Amino acid sequence: MRKADIINTVSSQTGVERSDVQEVLEATLATIKKTLIDGDSLFIRGFGTFSNKKRAKKIARNISTNTAIILDAHYVPSFKPSKIFIKSVKENNIIS
């Protein structure tokens, strides 16, 4: 599913104009990004938590030139789904 599909689905389910749904979705995603850039976490009850995880400094290898590269410690965005969300996905995606 793409962003356009989300916009169309929400618009048809709620009866809200597509352009209004797009504006709200864009603002929501911008808020999530800004929160993580500022170093804060974002918790949405029943959905999950967006946070930053610290990656330690390490030595990596460029396999094409066979040289070592030092990667400094850095943060990467992370998402941890809530237990309710995990449970609902497990119950609805049973492999036969």
Side-chain angles (χ1 to χ4, degrees), residues 63-74:
I63 57 172
S64 62
T65 61
N66 199 24
T67 58
I69 302 169
I70 298 175
L71 298 176
D72 293 328
H74 60 281

Side-chain angles (χ1 to χ4, degrees), residues 2-66:
R2 299 173 307 137
K3 187 169 29 173
D5 299 328
I6 294 171
I7 292 168
N8 290 332
T9 302
V10 172
S11 178
S12 66
Q13 287 179 353
T14 61
V16 177
E17 289 291 323
R18 189 180 181 286
S19 60
D20 294 337
V21 173
Q22 181 176 359
E23 190 174 324
V24 170
L25 182 60
E26 292 291 340
T28 302
L29 295 176
T31 302
I32 292 170
K33 289 178 187 177
K34 182 168 180 356
T35 301
L36 293 176
I37 288 169
D38 292 343
D40 297 326
S41 295
L42 180 95
F43 172 72
I44 302 173
R45 185 178 302 280
F47 186 68
T49 303
F50 294 91
S51 61
N52 289 320
K53 288 200 174 188
K54 185 175 184 178
R55 298 285 186 234
K57 179 179 178 178
K58 68 178 184 177
I59 298 174
R61 182 156 304 280
N62 182 342
I63 57 172
S64 62
T65 61
N66 199 24

